[in-house]
Amino acid sequence: MNYFHYVDNKLWCENIPVAEVAKAVGTPFYLYSHRTLERHFKVFDSAFDDIPHIICFSAKANSNAAILKIFINEGSGMDIVSGGELYRVLKAGADSRKIVYSGVGKREEEIRYALESDILMFNVESSQELEVINACAGKMDRVARISLRVNPDVDPMTHPHISTGMKENKFGINIEKSLDEYRHARKLDHIEIIGVDCHIGSQITEISPFIDALDRLKELISSLRNEGISIKYLDLGGGLGITYDNETPPHPQDYAKAIMDRIRDIDCTFIFEPGRVIVGNAGILISEVLYTKTNADKRFVVVDAGMNDLARPSLYDSYHKIQPVELKERADILSDVVGPICESSDYIARGRVIPELERGELIAVMSAGAYGFSMSSNYNSRPRSPEVLVRGGEFYVIRSGENQADLTRGENIPDFLQ
Ligand code: LLP
């Protein structure tokens, strides 16, 4: 449930007409509803009230400081994948003892930074990484708390680009090898094993892949415990899907119940790393129609948001609902909604039957709160758009739009070219 709705045919976010925000900040821009963000977090978190757990919001889904702070204020920890994300989440005020660090390519300086920051644990993705963490911790005279990210080899039945828990994916350590890897980790002086981790993919709309992964991890945990390796945390990653179009993902409560039904016998603190399910439907992208035209009988609606603002359609052919900010009596027409970028893959919607949009009007690209701004770029030298947070009847610019000077920041022309 979210707080974007029509009042007298005009799209509102909470208690503000979207067009009013557009007038103040210009298009394109990302618009988030505070009430929706808070609600989604609380619904997910409270679904696990019956078991000891930590929600570590997956910062990659949306890493704006204000948005991170909303979750931090609700007690959230953070799932990070880089030194940059660690910097961001700490700056936003995250509790370092609720930070988990995944990622197949952690650099030594990132590992040192995480050790200095005393994060809860590293989710280790390879034997070599384990050695490097042990060596770094040794040099710093510290002990690194770790879990192994186990690749349980289950098919999450999602887009191949966002599937991560099958044995041919680059992520984690094969479940068959993981017991041996744990045995080895136990011998390392600067490693403390505290958990087991997995993350099998994203935009998962069925419960069964999560359960399959959990069953495999449970077996592993009991083998580890039989060998006297103590496991305090079981991190089940993120991945729960949302409705973009007509998908019917499980409600967080059903997802939680299915998991809790199977874990009552495991004495652990459970970690979840949700991203999309919290922020996806709490944010939209507002754009203006620049032109309409017809090429070879095909209607194109050219808008001022491009693949640099929202990369998901061009990367994954993903669906985002397009809604006019003002509803009017008009015909529906088959259209391609495209951006200004010089690539044919620069589109927001393809072959979509939508109201006949006109030059100058505003559209809302729905469900853009996750992996929207966080994957945006400056391609075609387009400044990145502002982000705005609505709370009740007020709105706040939580990231200013970039200007032209931002585009060349850090560039230098060497003297020999002068
Ligand atoms: N934990 C780990 C280790 C992850 O790699 C991810 C996402 C998450 C948690 C959060 O997953 P979520 O709950 O959001 O599904 N850019 C793609 C999604 C990539 C997901 C990467 N990992 C998209 O726009 O669909």
Side-chain angles (χ1 to χ4, degrees):
M1 164 166 191
N2 60 60
Y3 296 93
F4 299 102
H5 53 271
Y6 285 93
V7 179
D8 294 335
N9 292 325
K10 302 214 168 57
L11 183 64
W12 286 49
C13 173
E14 300 194 14
N15 304 335
I16 297 191
V18 167
E20 203 173 288
V21 185
K23 205 179 267 176
V25 302
T27 55
F29 67 97
Y30 277 92
L31 185 65
Y32 307 104
S33 152
H34 176 269
R35 193 168 173 202
T36 311
L37 290 162
E38 208 177 59
R39 181 188 148 82
H40 286 181
F41 184 87
K42 283 185 169 156
V43 165
F44 194 95
D45 187 26
S46 63
F48 292 99
D49 270 353
D50 286 352
I51 53 167
H53 72 277
I54 308 174
I55 306 295
C56 291
F57 173 69
S58 191
K60 66 179 85 61
N62 191 314
S63 48
N64 183 287
I67 290 182
L68 299 177
K69 186 72 171 126
I70 295 172
F71 306 139
I72 292 168
N73 289 349
E74 292 297 321
S76 186
M78 292 286 153
D79 156 52
I80 58 157
V81 288
S82 68
E85 283 190 352
L86 179 54
Y87 170 77
R88 269 183 181 284
V89 304
L90 289 175
K91 201 168 169 211
D95 175 353
S96 62
R97 295 303 295 264
K98 288 188 188 171
I99 295 175
V100 294
Y101 185 178
S102 310
V104 293
K106 304 179 185 81
R107 301 166 65 95
E108 287 188 29
E109 64 262 33
E110 293 177 311
I111 292 169
R112 282 196 297 272
Y113 180 26
L115 284 166
E116 266 161 29
S117 308
D118 200 25
I119 65 165
L120 174 61
M121 68 183 181
F122 292 87
N123 290 334
V124 177
E125 306 224 15
S126 65
S127 321
Q128 288 184 0
E129 183 194 327
L130 184 65
E131 300 301 331
V132 172
I133 294 176
N134 182 51
C136 287
K139 277 185 216 146
M140 294 168 70
D141 203 17
R142 286 178 185 248
V143 172
R145 287 176 292 273
I146 65 115
S147 70
L148 295 188
R149 174 166 176 182
V150 174
N151 182 326
D153 193 24
V154 297
D155 183 355
M157 299 182 281
T158 184
H159 191 286
H161 290 184
I162 53 178
S163 153
T164 52
M166 292 164 76
K167 64 172 183 286
E168 62 270 32
N169 297 134
K170 70 176 175 179
F171 298 97
I173 294 172
N174 252 322
I175 187 138
E176 296 89 40
K177 291 198 200 137
S178 55
L179 187 55
D180 275 343
E181 203 61 51
Y182 271 107
R183 287 177 182 138
H184 175 64
R186 170 153 67 169
K187 293 188 210 131
L188 300 176
D189 287 343
H190 297 278
I191 294 290
E192 183 192 354
I193 297 167
I194 62 167
V196 172
D197 165 57
C198 78
H199 168 76
I200 57 172
S202 196
Q203 184 53 14
I204 299 170
T205 53
E206 306 280 335
I207 287 185
S208 58
F210 292 110
I211 296 302
D212 291 350
L214 175 58
D215 287 346
R216 290 181 195 183
L217 261 53
K218 272 173 71 171
E219 262 176 55
L220 174 64
I221 290 178
S222 77
S223 310
L224 291 169
R225 287 184 170 163
N226 284 341
E227 300 200 10
I229 298 177
S230 106
I231 296 297
K232 300 191 194 98
Y233 295 92
L234 173 52
D235 181 343
L236 290 173
L240 187 58
I242 62 169
T243 303
Y244 285 96
D245 182 12
N246 49 20
E247 307 89 336
T248 50
H251 187 278
Q253 271 158 4
D254 298 325
Y255 162 81
K257 187 171 179 313
I259 290 176
M260 289 191 304
D261 281 349
R262 295 181 109 79
I263 57 178
R264 295 201 190 274
D265 49 330
I266 318 177
D267 179 22
C268 261
T269 295
F270 292 86
I271 296 178
F272 299 93
E273 304 172 355
R276 189 188 315 264
V277 69
I278 311 282
V279 289
N281 276 321
I284 61 180
L285 173 63
I286 303 299
S287 181
E288 184 183 319
V289 176
L290 295 176
Y291 302 104
T292 61
K293 65 183 203 176
T294 305
N295 277 0
D297 287 343
K298 200 167 174 186
R299 181 179 162 87
F300 288 95
V301 178
V302 184
V303 300
D304 66 1
M307 65 193 278
N308 72 300
D309 299 294
L310 182 66
R312 304 193 68 254
S314 43
L315 276 179
Y316 322 112
D317 198 25
S318 55
Y319 181 100
H320 289 266
K321 213 173 265 171
I322 308 281
Q323 293 181 190
V325 167
E326 186 172 350
L327 299 177
K328 298 176 193 163
E329 276 293 316
R330 54 179 140 182
D332 283 339
I333 181 167
L334 187 68
S335 315
D336 276 17
V337 179
V338 300
I341 286 189
C342 305
E343 303 237 8
S344 291
S345 63
D346 177 30
Y347 70 97
I348 305 240
R350 250 184 197 163
R352 197 75 75 71
V353 177
I354 50 172
E356 193 164 3
L357 297 166
E358 294 163 11
R359 169 171 157 77
E361 76 169 294
L362 297 174
I363 61 160
V365 183
M366 306 305 288
S367 314
Y371 309 105
F373 186 88
S374 64
M375 288 174 68
S376 66
S377 78
N378 290 120
Y379 187 40
N380 275 205
S381 288
R382 289 167 48 81
R384 275 182 296 174
S385 51
E387 294 179 280
V388 179
L389 178 69
V390 169
R391 179 166 173 264
E394 302 287 329
F395 71 88
Y396 305 83
V397 177
I398 56 172
R399 191 180 205 276
S400 316
E402 289 177 343
N403 57 34
Q404 291 181 337
D406 292 326
L407 291 175
T408 52
R409 188 153 43 97
E411 290 178 20
N412 290 302
I413 301 178
D415 283 350
F416 76 91
L417 291 173
Q418 299 291 358

